[in-house]
Amino acid sequence: MKHAELVCINDYLKQYHKISSIYRVDDSVLRIIFEAGEPLFVDLGRGDSYMFFKEDFKQAKRYTAPFDVLLAKRFSNAKIESMDVEEGNRIWRIGVLASSSYKAMRTTLQLEFTGRNTNAIILDENEVVLEAMRHIDASVSFRSVKVNEILEKLPPKELKEKPFDLNVTLEEYLQLSYEKRLHVKIEEIKKQKIAQVEKKITKLTQAIDALENEAELMLKSDEAQKEASLVLAHLHTNMIKGYQESVTLQDFEGNAVTIVLPQAQTPQMAANLLFKKSKKLRQKALSVHRQKENLDEKRLFLERMVGVINAASDPEEIQILVPKQRKSKQKGDESNLYETFLLEGYRILLGKNEKGNIALLQEAKKNDIWLHVKDMPSSHVIICTEKQNVPESVLIFAAKLCVEFSLTQKGGYLVDYTKRKNVKPFDGANVAYEEYQTLKIYKE
């Protein structure tokens, strides 16, 4: 962020006299609304800090750290008393007066666009640090940023910057600030996230390839059962003795068959052991079938995830699809049957398969929102409302997930949604529902 850019933006914002709301929408991004103006986003990322306008910034979670609590308390609905850019530093200071039920509080928000130590710092009237987005220790920088300590001023310096030429309106410039970074940023994050997902797909493929052959196991089971039947059929001939290792018998078509016998005291016991072997092989084949089906479903879900990431139009959406950190799930946990996404603090649950759909129907609360593609097989989606009204942006995103993870063909699809209490399950994941509304979602 250039010093001249900061000055230009500061001069533009001086038309406002109040901050209506301010909060964090990403780990290093603040959203500020000055009176009734367009939301201004301040990205304080260390590599490329800047400000921008964007209509539909998708916020994954709500931040409740001490910095965020104090930011809302001191700056929401606060009167702006001063707004200036420090000479010789890329530092923007906003001084406000916030009235509480006890007293009026003067506070300064200091936004520092200083490269490695870029930061947002909340200061009291005496320049004492109340909170900061990033607490900085003296071992990391010559100036520490610690709560309850006076913040040392940065000495002004000669800033060597390329000339800043604003050849459009500032509103257009702030919109272009995001758009010009979008292509490079989204391609970079897509590549990174797809690599993470494809790594999981590779592991699943290896696990599938390592499974025993189901057809071979069934064939061995049939052979063991046939051998057991032949042994039983020849008990009266006295051709088989106790503890005999093998025997050659005629099968039911008159062909000679050599059978390797299990160690047994009597021919009857040998036949029983062969029947037992046949049963175990059949059970193993069925188990392999279930394992393969389960792994195939997981792989299909991840392959669809790659498609959804590729279709995403902004980096925030991709971060919601594949967060930086995901809580590990314990083996056998039912939540393995569905995926959880966070948007604006709401949990959106997506069934990965039929079992996942059933689990969602069982776990959802009566006021949660249920979504399903109209008149077509699809994943079930639940929005956990916590008895709150769900914003339209969350509904649309959930409906989009329902379509993207259920269908492969491009086109327009209808997604029905209603409260879970209006949904009546039957025969597994099949449902009947009433009092619903419909959204139209386009899959590109």
Side-chain angles (χ1 to χ4, degrees):
M1 191 98 195
K2 294 185 177 68
H3 185 271
E5 284 181 89
L6 279 174
V7 171
C8 190
I9 293 169
N10 182 73
D11 290 344
Y12 169 80
L13 293 170
K14 280 185 176 179
Q15 64 181 295
Y16 300 115
H17 305 287
K18 179 183 176 183
I19 293 177
S20 297
S21 69
I22 178 170
Y23 53 91
R24 192 156 39 149
V25 293
D26 204 351
D27 290 352
S28 61
V29 181
L30 298 179
R31 179 182 187 268
I32 311 174
I33 296 182
F34 294 90
E35 293 178 19
E38 185 173 355
L40 174 70
F41 294 90
V42 184
D43 190 330
L44 293 161
R46 290 188 175 97
D48 180 25
S49 55
Y50 68 107
M51 299 188 207
F52 62 92
F53 283 161
K54 188 175 187 293
E55 289 184 4
D56 58 344
F57 190 97
K58 295 180 179 67
Q59 177 187 354
K61 61 180 180 179
R62 292 169 182 162
Y63 291 82
T64 57
F67 168 78
D68 303 285
V69 173
L70 192 62
L71 188 69
K73 180 180 178 182
R74 294 287 185 119
F75 293 91
S76 291
N77 295 313
K79 178 185 175 183
I80 299 172
E81 291 195 317
S82 63
M83 190 186 296
D84 56 79
V85 179
E86 286 192 4
E87 191 64 38
N89 276 308
R90 300 183 187 93
I91 294 175
W92 185 31
R93 288 169 59 92
I94 306 173
V96 302
L97 178 67
S99 297
S100 70
S101 56
Y102 301 104
K103 62 177 181 178
M105 297 179 291
R106 283 186 168 84
T107 318
T108 298
L109 178 62
Q110 182 157 308
L111 302 174
E112 301 187 347
F113 301 87
T114 51
R116 188 164 61 92
N117 292 323
T118 290
N119 209 346
I121 306 167
I122 302 172
L123 304 167
D124 71 5
E125 296 175 77
N126 301 311
E127 298 294 304
V128 173
V129 176
L130 299 174
E131 259 305 337
M133 182 181 286
R134 299 182 177 108
H135 295 178
I136 300 174
D137 193 76
S139 62
V140 177
S141 172
F142 75 90
R143 183 191 67 161
S144 65
V145 179
K146 290 186 176 179
V147 174
N148 296 327
E149 288 187 4
I150 293 176
L151 183 69
E152 181 183 344
K153 283 191 172 294
L154 289 175
K157 59 184 178 180
E158 184 182 351
L159 300 171
K160 297 178 180 178
E161 297 179 343
K162 293 179 181 179
F164 174 65
D165 182 22
L166 185 65
N167 51 17
V168 294
T169 66
L170 190 68
E171 293 92 335
E172 290 172 325
Y173 175 78
L174 289 170
Q175 289 168 350
L176 291 169
S177 290
Y178 181 87
E179 291 171 7
K180 74 177 184 180
R181 291 168 172 83
L182 179 61
H183 179 72
V184 173
K185 190 174 182 180
I186 198 168
E187 290 307 314
E188 181 182 321
I189 196 170
K190 278 183 180 182
K191 185 177 179 181
Q192 176 194 353
K193 297 299 184 181
I194 286 173
Q196 289 180 25
V197 177
E198 286 183 338
K199 187 176 180 180
K200 294 179 183 179
I201 292 173
T202 299
K203 285 185 178 180
L204 286 172
T205 301
Q206 290 171 345
I208 291 168
D209 292 342
L211 292 173
E212 290 188 69
N213 188 290
E214 179 189 348
E216 289 180 3
L217 288 170
M218 290 299 287
L219 184 62
K220 289 178 181 178
S221 172
D222 292 341
E223 288 175 353
Q225 184 166 359
K226 181 180 177 181
E227 289 173 349
S229 299
L230 285 174
V231 170
L232 281 180
H234 287 79
L235 286 179
H236 67 282
T237 64
N238 293 322
M239 294 176 63
I240 309 170
K241 308 298 182 185
Y243 299 107
Q244 190 171 331
E245 292 183 358
S246 65
V247 64
T248 300
L249 303 172
Q250 280 192 334
D251 65 14
F252 302 112
E253 285 78 37
N255 302 311
V257 177
T258 299
I259 301 173
V260 176
L261 297 168
Q263 288 290 310
Q265 189 174 357
T266 66
Q268 177 70 55
M269 292 173 67
N272 290 340
L273 288 172
L274 285 169
F275 278 123
K276 191 174 182 180
K277 178 183 176 181
S278 172
K279 184 178 179 181
K280 281 187 175 180
L281 286 166
R282 185 171 293 276
Q283 288 173 339
K284 193 172 185 181
L286 293 173
S287 174
V288 167
H289 176 78
R290 286 192 292 268
Q291 287 179 60
K292 186 176 184 303
E293 193 176 61
N294 182 40
L295 292 171
D296 277 336
E297 285 176 343
K298 288 181 178 180
R299 182 168 62 179
L300 177 61
F301 178 83
L302 291 175
E303 287 170 349
R304 286 179 172 170
M305 175 69 82
V306 170
V308 177
I309 293 171
N310 269 321
S313 57
D314 57 57
E316 299 85 47
E317 184 175 335
I318 300 172
Q319 291 288 12
I320 291 168
L321 293 168
V322 189
K324 293 175 184 176
Q325 291 183 335
R326 192 179 288 278
K327 187 178 178 182
S328 59
K329 297 173 182 175
Q330 296 181 354
K331 192 173 181 181
D333 188 348
E334 280 203 341
S335 59
N336 282 304
L337 300 173
Y338 53 80
E339 197 70 17
T340 302
F341 304 96
L342 290 175
L343 179 62
E344 297 182 27
Y346 290 89
R347 286 193 309 137
I348 303 172
L349 313 178
L350 172 80
K352 294 182 178 180
N353 49 34
E354 186 179 8
K355 287 183 180 178
N357 292 338
I358 293 170
L360 288 183
L361 289 168
Q362 292 172 342
E363 294 179 23
K365 297 177 181 177
K366 65 179 183 179
N367 287 318
D368 290 345
I369 302 297
W370 170 88
L371 302 94
H372 192 279
V373 178
K374 192 179 191 72
D375 299 331
M376 298 181 73
S378 87
S379 295
H380 292 236
V381 174
I382 294 289
I383 303 173
C384 300
T385 65
E386 303 299 336
K387 298 181 180 179
Q388 301 295 316
N389 291 327
V390 178
E392 186 180 9
S393 57
V394 176
L395 274 171
I396 291 172
F397 187 77
K400 183 179 176 184
L401 289 176
C402 190
V403 169
E404 292 286 357
F405 282 95
S406 304
L407 304 158
T408 56
Q409 295 294 320
K410 296 179 181 180
Y413 296 93
L414 298 177
V415 178
D416 291 337
Y417 68 94
T418 185
K419 289 185 177 181
R420 169 62 184 87
K421 66 183 180 182
N422 298 324
V423 181
K424 309 299 180 188
F426 65 91
D427 294 339
N430 293 315
V431 297
Y433 55 94
E434 58 187 9
E435 296 183 31
Y436 63 90
Q437 294 174 270
T438 304
L439 291 168
K440 187 158 190 178
I441 301 296
Y442 291 92
K443 179 177 173 65
E444 299 178 357

